[in-house]
mmCIF file of all heavy atoms in Angstrom:
data_model
loop_
_atom_site.group_PDB
_atom_site.id
_atom_site.type_symbol
_atom_site.label_atom_id
_atom_site.label_comp_id
_atom_site.label_asym_id
_atom_site.label_seq_id
_atom_site.Cartn_x
_atom_site.Cartn_y
_atom_site.Cartn_z
ATOM 1 N N THR V 242 57.688 99.547 106.057
ATOM 2 C CA THR V 242 59.016 99.594 105.450
ATOM 3 C C THR V 242 59.444 101.054 105.400
ATOM 4 O O THR V 242 58.637 101.922 105.040
ATOM 5 C CB THR V 242 58.991 99.033 104.016
ATOM 6 O OG1 THR V 242 58.617 97.654 104.068
ATOM 7 C CG2 THR V 242 60.355 99.166 103.354
ATOM 8 N N VAL V 243 60.672 101.337 105.780
ATOM 9 C CA VAL V 243 61.226 102.680 105.652
ATOM 10 C C VAL V 243 62.126 102.659 104.421
ATOM 11 O O VAL V 243 63.081 101.870 104.356
ATOM 12 C CB VAL V 243 62.010 103.104 106.904
ATOM 13 C CG1 VAL V 243 62.575 104.514 106.724
ATOM 14 C CG2 VAL V 243 61.114 103.043 108.144
ATOM 15 N N LEU V 244 61.807 103.476 103.428
ATOM 16 C CA LEU V 244 62.522 103.449 102.153
ATOM 17 C C LEU V 244 63.951 103.968 102.289
ATOM 18 O O LEU V 244 64.208 104.930 103.004
ATOM 19 C CB LEU V 244 61.779 104.287 101.114
ATOM 20 C CG LEU V 244 60.346 103.866 100.781
ATOM 21 C CD1 LEU V 244 59.764 104.805 99.722
ATOM 22 C CD2 LEU V 244 60.289 102.416 100.299
ATOM 23 N N SER V 245 64.848 103.333 101.565
ATOM 24 C CA SER V 245 66.231 103.797 101.475
ATOM 25 C C SER V 245 66.418 104.649 100.231
ATOM 26 O O SER V 245 65.703 104.473 99.226
ATOM 27 C CB SER V 245 67.196 102.610 101.422
ATOM 28 O OG SER V 245 67.425 102.077 102.706
ATOM 29 N N LEU V 246 67.370 105.564 100.284
ATOM 30 C CA LEU V 246 67.732 106.388 99.145
ATOM 31 C C LEU V 246 69.008 105.851 98.515
ATOM 32 O O LEU V 246 69.889 105.346 99.228
ATOM 33 C CB LEU V 246 67.950 107.841 99.554
ATOM 34 C CG LEU V 246 66.710 108.715 99.788
ATOM 35 C CD1 LEU V 246 66.023 108.344 101.093
ATOM 36 C CD2 LEU V 246 67.107 110.196 99.810
ATOM 37 N N SER V 247 69.108 105.971 97.218
ATOM 38 C CA SER V 247 70.349 105.603 96.537
ATOM 39 C C SER V 247 71.370 106.720 96.735
ATOM 40 O O SER V 247 71.029 107.837 97.129
ATOM 41 C CB SER V 247 70.094 105.407 95.041
ATOM 42 O OG SER V 247 69.780 106.656 94.431
ATOM 43 N N ASP V 248 72.622 106.422 96.452
ATOM 44 C CA ASP V 248 73.666 107.445 96.574
ATOM 45 C C ASP V 248 73.384 108.627 95.658
ATOM 46 O O ASP V 248 73.632 109.787 96.015
ATOM 47 C CB ASP V 248 75.040 106.843 96.266
ATOM 48 C CG ASP V 248 75.520 105.894 97.357
ATOM 49 O OD1 ASP V 248 74.960 105.958 98.481
ATOM 50 O OD2 ASP V 248 76.438 105.090 97.096
ATOM 51 N N ASP V 249 72.862 108.349 94.458
ATOM 52 C CA ASP V 249 72.532 109.432 93.521
ATOM 53 C C ASP V 249 71.408 110.305 94.065
ATOM 54 O O ASP V 249 71.441 111.535 93.939
ATOM 55 C CB ASP V 249 72.128 108.862 92.160
ATOM 56 C CG ASP V 249 73.317 108.289 91.390
ATOM 57 O OD1 ASP V 249 74.470 108.623 91.747
ATOM 58 O OD2 ASP V 249 73.086 107.522 90.434
ATOM 59 N N GLN V 250 70.416 109.680 94.678
ATOM 60 C CA GLN V 250 69.313 110.450 95.257
ATOM 61 C C GLN V 250 69.799 111.313 96.419
ATOM 62 O O GLN V 250 69.395 112.470 96.555
ATOM 63 C CB GLN V 250 68.200 109.500 95.717
ATOM 64 C CG GLN V 250 67.411 108.885 94.564
ATOM 65 C CD GLN V 250 66.433 107.822 95.033
ATOM 66 O OE1 GLN V 250 66.677 107.114 96.011
ATOM 67 N NE2 GLN V 250 65.312 107.706 94.326
ATOM 68 N N ILE V 251 70.663 110.760 97.237
ATOM 69 C CA ILE V 251 71.216 111.527 98.355
ATOM 70 C C ILE V 251 71.986 112.735 97.838
ATOM 71 O O ILE V 251 71.864 113.848 98.362
ATOM 72 C CB ILE V 251 72.113 110.637 99.242
ATOM 73 C CG1 ILE V 251 71.250 109.601 99.981
ATOM 74 C CG2 ILE V 251 72.906 111.481 100.246
ATOM 75 C CD1 ILE V 251 72.034 108.546 100.716
ATOM 76 N N ALA V 252 72.745 112.525 96.786
ATOM 77 C CA ALA V 252 73.509 113.629 96.193
ATOM 78 C C ALA V 252 72.563 114.725 95.690
ATOM 79 O O ALA V 252 72.851 115.922 95.825
ATOM 80 C CB ALA V 252 74.378 113.120 95.060
ATOM 81 N N GLU V 253 71.423 114.326 95.124
ATOM 82 C CA GLU V 253 70.449 115.301 94.630
ATOM 83 C C GLU V 253 69.881 116.148 95.765
ATOM 84 O O GLU V 253 69.618 117.338 95.591
ATOM 85 C CB GLU V 253 69.308 114.587 93.917
ATOM 86 C CG GLU V 253 69.614 114.081 92.521
ATOM 87 C CD GLU V 253 68.366 113.528 91.854
ATOM 88 O OE1 GLU V 253 67.547 114.336 91.367
ATOM 89 O OE2 GLU V 253 68.199 112.292 91.841
ATOM 90 N N THR V 254 69.680 115.547 96.920
ATOM 91 C CA THR V 254 69.076 116.279 98.041
ATOM 92 C C THR V 254 70.043 117.275 98.669
ATOM 93 O O THR V 254 69.624 118.207 99.359
ATOM 94 C CB THR V 254 68.616 115.311 99.150
ATOM 95 O OG1 THR V 254 69.759 114.710 99.783
ATOM 96 C CG2 THR V 254 67.699 114.233 98.599
ATOM 97 N N LYS V 255 71.350 117.054 98.484
ATOM 98 C CA LYS V 255 72.395 117.899 99.087
ATOM 99 C C LYS V 255 72.346 117.850 100.616
ATOM 100 O O LYS V 255 72.757 118.795 101.297
ATOM 101 C CB LYS V 255 72.298 119.341 98.588
ATOM 102 C CG LYS V 255 72.586 119.490 97.091
ATOM 103 C CD LYS V 255 72.518 120.949 96.657
ATOM 104 C CE LYS V 255 73.013 121.144 95.226
ATOM 105 N NZ LYS V 255 72.287 120.361 94.227
ATOM 106 N N ARG V 256 71.845 116.750 101.144
ATOM 107 C CA ARG V 256 71.817 116.547 102.590
ATOM 108 C C ARG V 256 72.878 115.533 103.000
ATOM 109 O O ARG V 256 73.544 114.914 102.159
ATOM 110 C CB ARG V 256 70.432 116.071 103.035
ATOM 111 C CG ARG V 256 69.321 117.097 102.867
ATOM 112 C CD ARG V 256 69.558 118.327 103.706
ATOM 113 N NE ARG V 256 68.433 119.253 103.646
ATOM 114 C CZ ARG V 256 68.464 120.503 104.091
ATOM 115 N NH1 ARG V 256 69.584 120.983 104.615
ATOM 116 N NH2 ARG V 256 67.400 121.286 103.997
ATOM 117 N N THR V 257 73.014 115.343 104.300
ATOM 118 C CA THR V 257 74.032 114.443 104.844
ATOM 119 C C THR V 257 73.517 113.008 104.873
ATOM 120 O O THR V 257 72.400 112.747 105.328
ATOM 121 C CB THR V 257 74.411 114.887 106.271
ATOM 122 O OG1 THR V 257 74.889 116.237 106.222
ATOM 123 C CG2 THR V 257 75.494 113.992 106.858
ATOM 124 N N ARG V 258 74.326 112.084 104.379
ATOM 125 C CA ARG V 258 73.968 110.660 104.384
ATOM 126 C C ARG V 258 73.967 110.131 105.821
ATOM 127 O O ARG V 258 74.847 110.459 106.616
ATOM 128 C CB ARG V 258 74.981 109.874 103.551
ATOM 129 C CG ARG V 258 74.680 108.391 103.370
ATOM 130 C CD ARG V 258 75.765 107.763 102.503
ATOM 131 N NE ARG V 258 75.473 106.395 102.118
ATOM 132 C CZ ARG V 258 75.821 105.322 102.837
ATOM 133 N NH1 ARG V 258 76.476 105.471 103.977
ATOM 134 N NH2 ARG V 258 75.533 104.094 102.417
ATOM 135 N N LEU V 259 72.980 109.302 106.127
ATOM 136 C CA LEU V 259 72.904 108.701 107.464
ATOM 137 C C LEU V 259 72.357 107.289 107.330
ATOM 138 O O LEU V 259 71.454 107.044 106.524
ATOM 139 C CB LEU V 259 72.005 109.547 108.382
ATOM 140 C CG LEU V 259 71.901 109.096 109.846
ATOM 141 C CD1 LEU V 259 71.825 110.317 110.772
ATOM 142 C CD2 LEU V 259 70.664 108.212 110.059
ATOM 143 N N VAL V 260 72.885 106.377 108.111
ATOM 144 C CA VAL V 260 72.446 104.983 108.092
ATOM 145 C C VAL V 260 71.730 104.656 109.403
ATOM 146 O O VAL V 260 72.293 104.839 110.491
ATOM 147 C CB VAL V 260 73.632 104.022 107.882
ATOM 148 C CG1 VAL V 260 73.156 102.564 107.967
ATOM 149 C CG2 VAL V 260 74.307 104.284 106.542
ATOM 150 N N ILE V 261 70.493 104.180 109.282
ATOM 151 C CA ILE V 261 69.747 103.684 110.443
ATOM 152 C C ILE V 261 70.005 102.180 110.509
ATOM 153 O O ILE V 261 69.605 101.440 109.601
ATOM 154 C CB ILE V 261 68.242 103.966 110.296
ATOM 155 C CG1 ILE V 261 67.986 105.476 110.156
ATOM 156 C CG2 ILE V 261 67.475 103.404 111.492
ATOM 157 C CD1 ILE V 261 66.531 105.839 109.882
ATOM 158 N N PRO V 262 70.683 101.710 111.537
ATOM 159 C CA PRO V 262 71.094 100.297 111.577
ATOM 160 C C PRO V 262 69.922 99.324 111.558
ATOM 161 O O PRO V 262 68.831 99.629 112.061
ATOM 162 C CB PRO V 262 71.860 100.194 112.901
ATOM 163 C CG PRO V 262 72.245 101.593 113.244
ATOM 164 C CD PRO V 262 71.145 102.460 112.718
ATOM 165 N N ALA V 263 70.155 98.161 110.979
ATOM 166 C CA ALA V 263 69.162 97.082 110.985
ATOM 167 C C ALA V 263 68.733 96.795 112.419
ATOM 168 O O ALA V 263 69.544 96.847 113.340
ATOM 169 C CB ALA V 263 69.747 95.835 110.340
ATOM 170 N N GLY V 264 67.455 96.500 112.587
ATOM 171 C CA GLY V 264 66.953 96.184 113.918
ATOM 172 C C GLY V 264 66.496 97.379 114.727
ATOM 173 O O GLY V 264 65.998 97.230 115.848
ATOM 174 N N THR V 265 66.647 98.585 114.171
ATOM 175 C CA THR V 265 66.201 99.780 114.891
ATOM 176 C C THR V 265 64.688 99.756 115.072
ATOM 177 O O THR V 265 64.160 100.127 116.123
ATOM 178 C CB THR V 265 66.623 101.060 114.144
ATOM 179 O OG1 THR V 265 68.059 101.108 114.072
ATOM 180 C CG2 THR V 265 66.125 102.311 114.847
ATOM 181 N N TYR V 266 63.983 99.324 114.023
ATOM 182 C CA TYR V 266 62.520 99.241 114.073
ATOM 183 C C TYR V 266 62.076 97.784 113.911
ATOM 184 O O TYR V 266 62.782 96.970 113.300
ATOM 185 C CB TYR V 266 61.899 100.098 112.963
ATOM 186 C CG TYR V 266 62.241 101.562 113.076
ATOM 187 C CD1 TYR V 266 63.057 102.194 112.126
ATOM 188 C CD2 TYR V 266 61.772 102.321 114.140
ATOM 189 C CE1 TYR V 266 63.373 103.542 112.235
ATOM 190 C CE2 TYR V 266 62.090 103.667 114.257
ATOM 191 C CZ TYR V 266 62.891 104.272 113.313
ATOM 192 O OH TYR V 266 63.211 105.605 113.433
ATOM 193 N N ALA V 267 60.920 97.464 114.451
ATOM 194 C CA ALA V 267 60.376 96.108 114.357
ATOM 195 C C ALA V 267 60.280 95.684 112.896
ATOM 196 O O ALA V 267 59.775 96.428 112.052
ATOM 197 C CB ALA V 267 58.998 96.048 115.009
ATOM 198 N N GLY V 268 60.812 94.494 112.601
ATOM 199 C CA GLY V 268 60.746 93.956 111.250
ATOM 200 C C GLY V 268 61.796 94.498 110.293
ATOM 201 O O GLY V 268 61.832 94.101 109.129
ATOM 202 N N GLN V 269 62.652 95.387 110.770
ATOM 203 C CA GLN V 269 63.686 95.974 109.899
ATOM 204 C C GLN V 269 64.915 95.070 109.875
ATOM 205 O O GLN V 269 65.700 95.044 110.816
ATOM 206 C CB GLN V 269 64.076 97.365 110.406
ATOM 207 C CG GLN V 269 65.141 98.039 109.548
ATOM 208 C CD GLN V 269 65.856 99.161 110.278
ATOM 209 O OE1 GLN V 269 65.371 99.694 111.280
ATOM 210 N NE2 GLN V 269 67.043 99.514 109.803
ATOM 211 N N GLU V 270 65.092 94.351 108.781
ATOM 212 C CA GLU V 270 66.173 93.369 108.700
ATOM 213 C C GLU V 270 67.451 93.922 108.067
ATOM 214 O O GLU V 270 68.510 93.303 108.175
ATOM 215 C CB GLU V 270 65.698 92.156 107.909
ATOM 216 C CG GLU V 270 64.525 91.423 108.583
ATOM 217 C CD GLU V 270 64.064 90.224 107.781
ATOM 218 O OE1 GLU V 270 64.589 90.007 106.661
ATOM 219 O OE2 GLU V 270 63.169 89.508 108.274
ATOM 220 N N ALA V 271 67.354 95.067 107.406
ATOM 221 C CA ALA V 271 68.530 95.642 106.735
ATOM 222 C C ALA V 271 68.708 97.097 107.148
ATOM 223 O O ALA V 271 67.774 97.741 107.650
ATOM 224 C CB ALA V 271 68.379 95.552 105.216
ATOM 225 N N ASP V 272 69.921 97.618 106.941
ATOM 226 C CA ASP V 272 70.174 99.031 107.202
ATOM 227 C C ASP V 272 69.297 99.894 106.295
ATOM 228 O O ASP V 272 68.981 99.511 105.161
ATOM 229 C CB ASP V 272 71.640 99.383 106.922
ATOM 230 C CG ASP V 272 72.601 98.774 107.933
ATOM 231 O OD1 ASP V 272 72.131 98.276 108.975
ATOM 232 O OD2 ASP V 272 73.818 98.816 107.680
ATOM 233 N N ILE V 273 68.908 101.044 106.799
ATOM 234 C CA ILE V 273 68.180 102.037 106.007
ATOM 235 C C ILE V 273 69.141 103.182 105.707
ATOM 236 O O ILE V 273 69.739 103.757 106.626
ATOM 237 C CB ILE V 273 66.959 102.583 106.773
ATOM 238 C CG1 ILE V 273 65.971 101.466 107.092
ATOM 239 C CG2 ILE V 273 66.279 103.699 105.983
ATOM 240 C CD1 ILE V 273 64.976 101.818 108.181
ATOM 241 N N VAL V 274 69.303 103.492 104.435
ATOM 242 C CA VAL V 274 70.162 104.607 104.042
ATOM 243 C C VAL V 274 69.264 105.796 103.738
ATOM 244 O O VAL V 274 68.394 105.729 102.865
ATOM 245 C CB VAL V 274 71.018 104.257 102.804
ATOM 246 C CG1 VAL V 274 71.899 105.442 102.419
ATOM 247 C CG2 VAL V 274 71.862 103.018 103.079
ATOM 248 N N THR V 275 69.453 106.879 104.468
ATOM 249 C CA THR V 275 68.585 108.030 104.308
ATOM 250 C C THR V 275 69.399 109.314 104.448
ATOM 251 O O THR V 275 70.628 109.286 104.404
ATOM 252 C CB THR V 275 67.412 107.975 105.308
ATOM 253 O OG1 THR V 275 66.493 109.041 105.032
ATOM 254 C CG2 THR V 275 67.884 108.057 106.740
#
């Protein structure tokens, strides 16, 4: 499982939000927000 970050966590990192689409990796059924 690749963990997703919440919007608040992303804001804390001061980095750019990016979405890895569902299906990018085997068994990944939902988008990953990182």
Side-chain angles (χ1 to χ4, degrees):
T242 297
V243 180
L244 300 180
S245 280
L246 282 74
S247 68
D248 289 343
D249 288 343
Q250 287 173 328
I251 291 171
E253 283 186 79
T254 69
K255 295 182 171 58
R256 293 298 186 192
T257 302
R258 185 179 188 271
L259 184 143
V260 176
I261 301 175
T265 298
Y266 299 113
Q269 180 200 341
E270 297 180 355
D272 290 348
I273 299 162
V274 180
T275 186

